[in-house]
Amino acid sequence: MDKLKIAIQKSGRLYEDSIKLLKDCSIEINIGIDKLKTTALNFPLEILFLRDDDIPQYLEDGVADIGIVGKNVLLEKRKRIKIKETLGFGKCRLSIAVPKSLSYNNIKDLDGKRIATSYPFLVREFFKKRYINAEIHEISGAVEIAPGIGLADCICDLVSSGSTLFMNGLKEVETVLQSEAVLASHLHLDSTQNIIMEKFLFRIRAVKKAKDNKYILLNVSNEKLEKIISYLPGIKSPVILPLANTECSSVHSVVNENDFWGIIENLKALGAQDILVLPIEKIIL
Ligand code: PRT
Ligand code: ZN
């Protein structure tokens, strides 16, 4: 039977979340000791474990059909591949940082500076668009120590918590790119491969949607019910169930995670009581 080949990072920051995504999509895998490749037990998927930097090339060549990789790597490598979905993990930003002691007002302060980075293409484009002349020094690792050892005046590297910059006496001054893991694909999948990819994407979207939302149950006295209902839209509309105590009703709905605490505060103010919040596993609309 035909299978779709997916490339994921062999080890590193995207590995755990990539495996979890497969699991959340109910795709079962056994990972062998050599961790080179494996086949899903209940979905037509073969998993190849690779270094993240190699994934865009493998996708362009069609060695893998789809792959999970950081947007930062994908855009830096400039391969002919397609982004199919953002995945909501591996979030970070590619930022320019300068020594804390340097007074920094705006991007013009970077003119003529030497900048160390593992992302020469993205950094060059960033400066070109802003008419800044900076000298780019490509280095492959430990970029943050470059200013300290006199290799460069400033750096451009990935940042998530900011503690690496802080520990190296650097401050973040410009964001070149906001990044997260994406699912990318080879440009020319055949029709069977496309069908499998769409099935996989369907599951990914259901999982993503569920993560962005919470199931909420609350009790409210009947005279306050109208206000609560108009505030809680739900997917179609909220469910209202009678309670044994006929003066109150139970309301069930789905709320977005982003503004979750704001919604809870407003519900309380509108008279909601006994609020229960539950995770949702999948949402299929
Ligand atoms: O072995 P392989 O080549 O596959 O892995 P790798 O070592 O090249 O990559 P890896 O595992 O470090 O990162 C894989 C992907 O994770 C990156 O391409 C990003 O898309 C994403 N990601 C998310 C990050 C970070 N957050 C991150 N913080 N990648 C790297 N970092 C590093 C950064 O380079 C810096 O050294 O973490 C440090 C900064 O972190 P904070 O928290 O101190 O700011
Ligand atoms: Zn890498």
Side-chain angles (χ1 to χ4, degrees):
M1 193 188 152
D2 282 324
K3 287 194 170 58
L4 195 68
K5 281 183 245 155
I6 182 171
I8 67 171
Q9 198 188 18
K10 186 178 168 71
S11 63
R13 287 169 194 263
L14 302 183
Y15 172 74
E16 298 281 342
D17 284 320
S18 302
I19 296 292
K20 180 162 187 307
L21 178 70
L22 296 179
K23 193 165 171 253
D24 290 345
C25 290
S26 314
I27 297 172
E28 286 173 36
I29 56 170
N30 282 330
I31 302 168
I33 327 163
D34 63 341
K35 217 165 116 184
L36 225 54
K37 63 177 182 175
T38 188
T39 304
L41 304 173
N42 56 355
F43 195 80
L45 202 61
E46 190 169 301
I47 298 105
L48 312 179
F49 297 97
L50 298 167
R51 282 200 58 196
D52 67 343
D53 316 71
D54 297 334
I55 291 176
Q57 182 71 60
Y58 281 116
L59 288 176
E60 183 178 89
D61 296 345
V63 174
D65 306 313
I66 57 173
I68 296 176
V69 67
K71 200 171 168 190
N72 50 302
V73 171
L74 187 142
L75 295 180
E76 176 67 26
K77 300 283 181 192
R78 286 168 294 147
K79 300 296 174 195
R80 285 174 302 128
I81 54 182
K82 226 187 294 178
I83 293 183
K84 300 302 293 184
E85 189 68 44
T86 55
L87 299 175
F89 59 83
K91 286 192 178 171
C92 57
R93 51 201 186 273
L94 182 64
S95 287
I96 297 173
V98 303
K100 256 184 225 145
S101 53
L102 193 96
S103 84
Y104 185 88
N105 301 307
N106 59 47
I107 194 158
K108 292 202 183 81
D109 293 338
L110 297 173
D111 215 21
K113 293 274 189 292
R114 294 168 305 159
I115 177 157
T117 186
S118 312
Y119 294 85
F121 171 74
L122 291 174
V123 177
R124 198 164 286 128
E125 287 290 294
F126 178 81
F127 283 134
K128 206 163 93 191
K129 279 194 191 129
R130 289 159 183 80
Y131 305 104
I132 302 293
N133 258 317
E135 209 181 286
I136 294 168
H137 290 255
E138 182 178 354
I139 54 176
S140 58
V143 174
E144 64 280 357
I145 64 167
I149 58 171
L151 189 68
D153 304 307
C154 48
I155 67 162
C156 183
D157 198 12
L158 299 174
V159 182
S160 44
S161 69
S163 63
T164 304
L165 293 184
F166 181 80
M167 283 189 305
N168 286 279
L170 300 167
K171 61 181 177 191
E172 202 175 342
V173 293
E174 301 286 344
T175 305
V176 173
L177 176 79
Q178 292 285 353
S179 183
E180 65 182 279
V182 297
L183 185 84
S185 84
H186 177 62
L187 286 186
H188 309 289
L189 297 182
D190 67 28
S191 59
T192 313
Q193 291 167 329
N194 251 315
I195 291 169
I196 304 172
M197 181 176 69
E198 287 305 326
K199 281 188 180 174
F200 184 40
L201 279 169
F202 179 79
R203 293 190 188 192
I204 290 177
R205 287 171 189 144
V207 168
K208 265 180 72 179
K209 205 157 189 57
K211 279 205 184 101
D212 291 344
N213 290 281
K214 294 268 181 272
Y215 192 79
I216 182 166
L217 299 92
L218 58 90
N219 293 332
V220 64
S221 65
N222 289 335
E223 77 261 20
K224 293 179 180 161
L225 190 56
E226 270 315 306
K227 278 200 175 140
I228 295 275
I229 294 171
S230 58
Y231 183 70
L232 270 186
I235 288 184
K236 288 214 166 44
S237 75
V239 178
I240 315 291
L241 296 171
L243 293 186
N245 167 356
T246 52
E247 284 162 20
C248 289
S249 300
S250 167
V251 179
H252 297 204
S253 189
V254 170
V255 297
N256 196 282
E257 172 79 358
N258 286 337
D259 188 29
F260 179 72
W261 288 108
I263 294 171
I264 298 288
E265 279 164 22
N266 289 337
L267 285 172
K268 281 212 69 93
L270 292 171
Q273 296 172 345
D274 319 323
I275 303 174
L276 293 185
V277 180
L278 308 174
I280 302 173
E281 198 173 299
K282 301 196 176 56
I283 295 184
I284 296 145
L285 298 176

